[in-house]
Amino acid sequence: MRTVVITGLGVVTPLGCRVDTVWERIRAGQSGIGPITGYDASQMPCRIAGEVAELDLDAFLSSKEQRRLEPFMHFGVVAARMAVEDAGIEIDRLDARRAGVVVGSGIGGITTLERQHIILRERGPDRNSPFMIPQMIINMAAGVIAIEHGFRGPNYAAVSACSTAAHCIGNAMRHIQHGEADMMLAGGAEAAVTALSMSGFSAMKALSTRNDEPGRASRPFDADRDGFVMGEGAGIVMLEELEHARRRGASIYCELAGYGLSCDAHHITAPVEGGEGAADAMLLAIADAGHDADQIEYINAHGTSTMLNDSCETAAIKRAFGDDRARGLLVSSTKSMTGHLLGAAAGLETVICALVLRDGVVPPTMNYETPDPNCDLDYVPNEAREAKVNACLNNALGFGGHNTSLLLRKLV
């Protein structure tokens, strides 16, 4: 197997749209969650979300491109461009057939779906946009990114709800390991803070209704958690074969060394009690990397702030590492600050893990105030912590029972 490293990072988030800005705010425990501004949410049970507020689209896309692309594609295109620039890629010097894109979304073009359905109902079928289908389909973010950069290698979107970006990154790693590509842009993009999407999640009783305290609403592992907070944005990394990166003098953040995936085969939305599936994914990632479980120091948890997820993920960590070792791990959920970016979540959180390894700072789980007896690990509560981290896991667990775990480590 060839060694895969991360050489570029790109983010669009509720906390900002530059990697250094987002990382600084996460380390400071700032929240990107507030009242919804994109539509009238006054009659909704949940009226808060993590919206992207600092993105100047005009700096990245022409007005025509903005009209022709869907919001989730806007986020993906911008984050991918940032990752390419961060990696120092000179496009005209690449073998385009050896560069690919795997970027997915959990929901895709739901803004277009809502708008075009209204047009159909109110104005008739001859008034629907010819761009409707390309704007809706999830694979189009990967396609548009490839068109912009001329990448002609593997190109598609994996779709697995909240595990989407982790599957995309893990699959992209495999393409490089197996010699099918030398570099891959990988991650996820999501723009699901819409009336239809939010009403659907509200009907499931999945969202927090702590509307009067938006910054305190996402509270993973806390006993008073009452649901997740929706976020939007994108997280994309540039993966590269080690020697390919070295030959062009690239700066390397870390190695992406392991990829574990499993299924609960239990329920369409609820994780299996005891966390067996998520534990399998973590152990498979560790084994895939040829690593020792005792060498893992940090886990960026899926940590959604829902009652079932957080207790089951805690149980999964204990199952994978044993109770004593689990209690010695640092575990945190950055969704407490960004909200849950659904299909883009693991993309952003992979970026965060790379920065943890680089800087030796573990981000906090904010709003952890009341201990839950079913969630009794070290969640790095409310304040970032300096810690030497050589290896970490990034967990992503999706509706449908999808479990993924990525192992990142310092390059030796």
Side-chain angles (χ1 to χ4, degrees):
M1 289 290 186
R2 305 195 307 166
T3 300
V4 179
V5 294
I6 296 176
T7 57
L9 310 176
V11 296
V12 173
T13 84
L15 281 171
C17 301
R18 291 174 53 87
V19 170
D20 55 352
T21 300
V22 173
W23 183 225
E24 179 182 351
R25 291 172 178 173
I26 284 176
R27 290 171 59 166
Q30 294 184 28
S31 175
I33 297 166
I36 291 170
T37 63
Y39 64 91
D40 180 4
S42 60
Q43 302 304 310
M44 294 280 192
C46 176
R47 301 186 291 277
I48 57 175
E51 294 178 301
V52 171
E54 296 182 8
L55 177 60
D56 179 9
L57 267 182
D58 293 334
F60 294 91
L61 297 169
S62 69
S63 58
K64 179 184 288 187
E65 289 173 319
Q66 291 178 40
R67 290 193 304 272
R68 292 186 173 186
L69 301 181
E70 227 270 345
F72 87 97
M73 297 180 206
H74 295 161
F75 298 157
V77 166
V78 171
R81 191 182 300 181
M82 290 177 180
V84 169
E85 292 175 356
D86 187 42
I89 302 294
E90 296 180 48
I91 301 296
D92 56 355
R93 300 184 65 180
L94 295 178
D95 181 349
R97 297 167 298 179
R98 304 285 299 168
V101 184
V102 186
V103 172
S105 179
I107 293 181
I110 193 165
T111 300
T112 295
L113 173 64
E114 288 186 38
R115 291 174 179 171
Q116 293 299 315
H117 182 253
I118 292 170
I119 290 171
L120 173 65
R121 294 289 299 273
E122 295 182 353
R123 302 170 62 187
D126 59 336
R127 303 307 297 270
N128 281 126
S129 169
F131 295 103
M132 177 176 68
I133 299 303
Q135 287 176 338
M136 284 174 54
I137 54 181
I138 288 174
N139 65 293
M140 199 54 66
V144 170
I145 291 167
I147 290 168
E148 174 170 339
H149 300 289
F151 288 2
R152 294 166 51 202
N155 185 283
Y156 60 94
V159 180
S160 53
C162 306
S163 291
T164 290
H167 277 125
C168 288
I169 292 169
N171 291 355
M173 178 184 80
R174 291 282 189 255
H175 291 303
I176 296 173
Q177 287 178 328
H178 293 172
E180 298 162 350
D182 294 324
M183 56 173 33
M184 297 285 298
L185 283 166
E190 201 78 82
V193 183
T194 74
L196 183 61
S197 172
M198 294 289 285
S199 65
F201 280 105
S202 291
M204 296 173 64
K205 309 296 184 185
L207 297 178
S208 171
T209 56
R210 199 183 291 261
N211 296 303
D212 296 333
E213 299 179 295
R216 300 179 66 234
S218 182
R219 42 201 317 109
F221 306 107
D222 185 83
D224 295 328
R225 63 193 183 275
D226 71 330
F228 78 86
V229 177
M230 184 78 77
E232 63 181 5
I236 294 180
V237 295
M238 175 63 79
L239 304 182
E240 200 165 348
E241 191 272 326
L242 175 59
E243 294 309 317
H244 185 276
R246 284 175 169 166
R247 282 196 299 271
R248 65 180 191 84
S251 296
I252 295 171
Y253 286 95
C254 61
E255 179 185 357
L256 178 61
Y259 175 34
L261 55 167
S262 69
C263 181
D264 286 345
H266 169 67
H267 189 272
I268 58 172
T269 57
V272 64
E273 186 176 351
E276 181 179 359
D280 287 345
M282 286 183 272
L283 291 172
L284 287 166
I286 292 167
D288 185 50
H291 214 74
D292 188 323
D294 288 342
Q295 296 172 296
I296 302 295
E297 292 112 347
Y298 170 60
I299 298 175
N300 187 294
H302 189 58
T304 58
S305 185
T306 63
M307 293 304 294
L308 284 176
N309 174 90
D310 296 359
S311 59
C312 287
E313 188 173 10
T314 298
I317 293 169
K318 292 179 181 178
R319 188 184 189 103
F321 290 89
D323 280 13
D324 291 343
R325 177 72 183 101
R327 288 188 170 85
L329 291 166
L330 301 178
V331 180
S332 68
S333 172
T334 45
K335 291 181 178 73
S336 58
M337 295 167 276
T338 65
H340 188 356
L341 275 62
L342 304 184
L348 170 59
E349 289 151 15
T350 297
V351 169
I352 292 168
C353 285
L355 296 170
V356 168
L357 291 169
R358 185 192 70 180
D359 293 349
V361 177
V362 173
T365 301
M366 296 304 295
N367 304 316
Y368 184 82
E369 298 168 353
T370 307
D372 180 344
N374 293 318
C375 300
D376 55 354
L377 303 180
D378 182 354
Y379 302 112
V380 194
N382 302 312
E383 187 173 338
R385 191 180 306 171
E386 292 188 3
K388 184 177 181 181
V389 178
N390 294 303
C392 62
L393 293 175
N394 177 16
N395 288 345
L397 318 175
F399 283 175
H402 309 297
N403 305 301
T404 52
S405 191
L406 301 171
L407 190 151
L408 295 81
R409 65 188 176 198
K410 286 186 176 180
L411 185 65
V412 179

